[in-house]
Amino acid sequence: MDISSPGIARYNKKTPRCERHDALLQMEERTEFAARFPAGHQAQMAFLLACYAGNASLVAALLGTGVRTVRRHCRGWSPPPGLRLRRALRRRVVDLVCPRCLSDRAGEEARQANREARRAARRLPR
């Protein structure tokens, strides 16, 4: 496959890209990534709210904005979010959707669970 051709999805601004893993993703991972990535700011905001169990204050804190702004943009408030908010929103959604980020997070959680199990075993009375 020739990745230097001008029509490839790699250079398409609409195609979601993970800054850390873009060069490492295989073609099937890219298609999975693109299929799971929500299109549009309203869908991305709704996706974040669903991932964080509807906790609008947590999403607002992650994006650096107010709770009312999060709720309004989730409902489809007429003015689109500003550039800073769009970038923060896209970055958070990419972290939750990228297959490599998901596997990295799962590996880190497994290491943390092992570490906690070792600590708990050391604290047991003898």
Side-chain angles (χ1 to χ4, degrees):
M1 179 174 149
D2 182 20
I3 62 169
S4 62
S5 65
I8 186 116
R10 179 177 179 165
Y11 299 108
N12 186 354
K13 292 193 184 270
K14 299 288 183 180
T15 305
R17 295 179 54 199
C18 180
E19 295 169 354
R20 293 180 291 171
H21 301 117
D22 190 49
L24 303 173
L25 290 175
Q26 302 297 322
M27 187 53 73
E28 58 273 357
E29 289 175 326
R30 286 179 198 257
T31 56
E32 175 191 348
F33 182 27
R36 294 179 62 199
F37 192 80
H41 306 298
Q42 183 179 358
Q44 291 173 8
M45 192 72 76
F47 177 78
L48 271 184
L49 273 175
C51 285
Y52 291 109
N55 191 346
S57 60
L58 176 64
V59 173
L62 289 173
L63 297 176
T65 187
V67 176
R68 291 181 64 200
T69 306
V70 169
R71 289 192 180 123
R72 285 178 176 174
H73 285 302
C74 191
R75 285 192 307 247
W77 198 32
S78 56
L83 182 62
R84 185 192 59 77
L85 182 57
R86 282 194 312 256
R87 285 184 179 157
L89 179 63
R90 186 174 181 87
R91 191 176 327 112
R92 291 291 176 178
V93 172
V94 164
D95 283 343
L96 291 173
V97 174
C98 176
R100 295 283 175 119
C101 289
L102 289 173
S103 65
D104 290 350
R105 192 174 305 116
E108 182 58 37
E109 287 173 0
R111 282 192 291 277
Q112 185 67 26
N114 287 339
R115 190 175 303 130
E116 292 297 325
R118 285 194 309 266
R119 286 181 184 164
R122 277 186 267 156
R123 291 185 189 135
L124 288 176
R126 295 180 186 180

